[in-house]
Amino acid sequence: MSFDRLCLVLGTVGPLEKRVLRLLQKKFNLCVISCQNELKLEGQILIKSVLDIKKELNKLSKEGYEEVLFIGKFDRPSLLEIFRPRISTIRSIFYYITRSNRGDNNLFEAIECLLIKEGWKLRSVATLLPNLLGKRKLLTKRKSPSWINTNSLKDIEEWGRLDKGQSAILYKDGKIDYETRSGTDVLINDSKDGKDFVLVKINKRGQTDKFDLPALGLATLSNVKSRGGSGIIYIGDVLLEDSIGMAKYSDIHKLSLEGRDPSPRGIILASEASGDIVGGLFLNSLSKSTVGSSIDWSGIGGINMEKHNFKSLVSIDRLGIMGIAEVVKHLVLIRRTIDIAVDHIVKVSPSFVVSIDGPSLWRRVIRIAKAKGWNGRWIQIVSPQVWARRDVDGELSKYTQIDRLFSYFKFEADIFNDKGIEASSFGHYATEKVEDKKSEVLKRYPILKDKEILLLLPGSRKFEVKNMLLPMLESSKRWLDLSDHDNYIVVIPTLSSVMGETKKIYNKFIGKNKTLRGRLKIYSTDDKSTRYSLFRLSKLCVCSSGSVSSELALYGVPSVVVYKLNKLTYFIAKRKLSVKYISLVNILQNYKDKNSEPIFRELLQGEMTTENIYRNLIEIELNYKQEVLKLSCIEELLKESHKDGFKDLSRMFLNYIKNIR
């Protein structure tokens, strides 16, 4: 009978390690490397330091060994070993000391990087011997104490993510003692006399399962009993020396032994204002369910997402980049964002990553993260607009790595479902009910009372403000100069991300004209309730193409939609895109009825002039009732059959992730 070859690298040797050794000897042709000689195995290779492992593996690779398994606890290298190395350990030391935090994870990451570069396949006890993993359920007759606080367990998990240790003691009074380098047994022995406690064992999230999986045995249970503890809770993947024997021992001595799932941890990525709005609504909806509120989120987002216990890794103010030429100008920023996102995914190793909008950026992040070993699920919210391309199949092929897609519209979901990518629709975010703050807005800005308002919305990206604000200002000045427009005021609702650029252009245009400054106002509208209340108060608008046009349509504001790209970007886009219009409401209307008239007037590239904007505003005013009537079908187009929007989205999302381990 032939056996596969496996190199087993042993750290400390206890009952669990001995059991693993016995089981592996039945399945593999083993070669054992160890820092200790307790087992006195024939052919065993002894090493002095964990940094010597690579030297011995190099020899074994020449004998045909390709796979290696690490088990047991390994001591970190001493300062003497680092500063007075043997030649064979120099590369290992370099990889180790260049890590920002030289904890256990970083030591193992350094070794893993080196071995993978050398062509070794690292195996895990969890995959080779899955029956040794503790089941995530109560294993004993006695339940875990009712006084255990879920938030305290979350605190212990968060501490574990810092790569400080794998054990903590949670006392009945809520206080927590954490493991030091001395280990779990010392932690238990140092527990407070007469205080009821449970030992909490954690799998440090983000650590590779190829090394140092936490382990529990009868000795630990006995130690907990001797110190007056109530039992043990283990969270995540933990190896049990003998689960049946440990359960029997616990029942005899009235201890509890329970395995629990780790708090779900997800990464969410949004790169621009509209994605941040969707992200904020999504997190808000999740927070209303027990499971949804328990998810620990991190990633990239904006102010709307940060209202929900979320802190972004980077500012998204400069990430709203669109077009070939614009991407080239910001290559350094894009590269840095990709690196930050990838490093975070690999470090946290979440079960899933949720990306919102910006699919061309996030697919690169996912591809690189998977190449670096992350094997979670990619969930995309807001469909890539493949339907707008001439080569739909070619565009679809770029997104085959999406595991689950949630799109605004059913026709988008149908396209992806036909290609075998599971997709569902939930309706456009603009249809979500938002608190009406009209009275509050009028109180804050009394100048708007009894006025007719012309809105200017040049965009949420800096390059959009640069390209489109000045022609908007020039046309609005002509509008205000009309003799019958004395009751008009022009308002520019502005996001903080582009406030600086907006004020710069505005101030240069206004100059010292106090009269014009009094009738042309900039208001900060990061709060969407304030923004939408201004929409409700407005009579008409000039806006850049984007999500805002859908919002304006829903609030019944007749608009002129404008856009201007870099010439090279426009030249390329014109040849790749098949759509007739640039605003979503016009595209949807045309998709529904090819012979229909556009809902919004559009001015693109060279057509976007001061004269053309002004002329279209005049035409809207002359035919105002008909223009408003055209907007009556918008809610049906944007919402389709979805009455609950983000409530539907969060429900579908939670149903999907409940089966992801």
Side-chain angles (χ1 to χ4, degrees), residues 512-524:
K512 297 180 180 180
N513 190 331
K514 292 182 179 179
T515 303
L516 186 57
R517 190 178 291 272
R519 298 184 66 193
L520 213 162
K521 297 291 185 180
I522 297 176
Y523 295 140
S524 176

Side-chain angles (χ1 to χ4, degrees), residues 274-302:
S274 60
D276 175 50
I277 291 172
V278 172
L281 291 167
F282 175 59
L283 294 178
N284 179 61
S285 182
L286 285 176
S287 69
K288 295 173 183 175
S289 75
T290 303
V291 177
S293 61
S294 72
I295 299 173
D296 183 7
W297 291 103
S298 58
I300 296 174

Side-chain angles (χ1 to χ4, degrees), residues 647-658:
K647 187 176 179 182
D648 283 344
L649 173 61
S650 60
R651 175 183 53 77
M652 292 186 289
F653 170 77
L654 292 174
N655 282 339
Y656 178 71
I657 66 165
K658 69 181 179 182

Side-chain angles (χ1 to χ4, degrees), residues 412-507:
E412 293 176 314
D414 290 343
I415 292 171
F416 281 85
N417 280 320
D418 288 345
K419 292 296 179 181
I421 298 170
E422 187 180 0
S424 305
S425 58
F426 63 94
H428 197 279
Y429 78 83
T431 61
E432 290 291 302
K433 284 186 171 61
V434 177
E435 183 183 358
D436 188 348
K437 291 185 177 180
K438 279 192 296 186
S439 57
E440 187 179 313
V441 168
L442 289 172
K443 188 176 180 181
R444 191 187 313 166
Y445 308 120
I447 194 173
L448 301 180
K449 194 172 182 180
D450 300 324
K451 295 287 186 180
E452 292 185 308
I453 299 171
L454 166 63
L455 288 178
L456 302 183
L457 293 161
S460 59
R461 302 176 177 97
K462 287 186 178 180
F463 87 87
E464 291 174 334
V465 174
K466 287 179 182 179
N467 285 348
M468 286 169 275
L469 180 56
L470 186 57
M472 289 183 180
L473 289 170
E474 290 171 342
S475 58
S476 64
K477 182 180 181 299
R478 288 185 64 182
W479 179 264
L480 292 174
D481 286 342
L482 291 172
S483 58
D484 58 345
H485 285 175
D486 289 342
N487 199 40
Y488 265 96
I489 190 166
V490 177
V491 174
I492 311 172
T494 306
L495 300 174
S496 58
S497 59
V498 291
M499 180 62 81
E501 194 66 38
T502 303
K503 282 187 174 180
K504 180 181 175 182
I505 296 170
Y506 168 86
N507 287 329

Side-chain angles (χ1 to χ4, degrees), residues 166-213:
Q166 298 177 332
S167 302
I169 282 181
L170 174 61
Y171 294 97
K172 187 175 182 178
D173 61 8
K175 293 182 179 177
I176 302 171
D177 285 342
Y178 294 104
E179 178 187 12
T180 63
R181 285 192 63 182
S182 302
T184 303
D185 289 335
V186 173
L187 173 70
I188 298 170
N189 291 335
D190 289 345
S191 62
K192 298 168 186 174
D193 290 328
K195 297 274 189 177
D196 192 8
F197 71 87
V198 291
L199 175 71
V200 182
K201 196 78 171 176
I202 53 173
N203 178 353
K204 294 180 287 187
R205 298 297 298 277
Q207 79 178 46
T208 172
D209 65 355
K210 312 294 190 305
F211 302 94
D212 195 28
L213 271 177

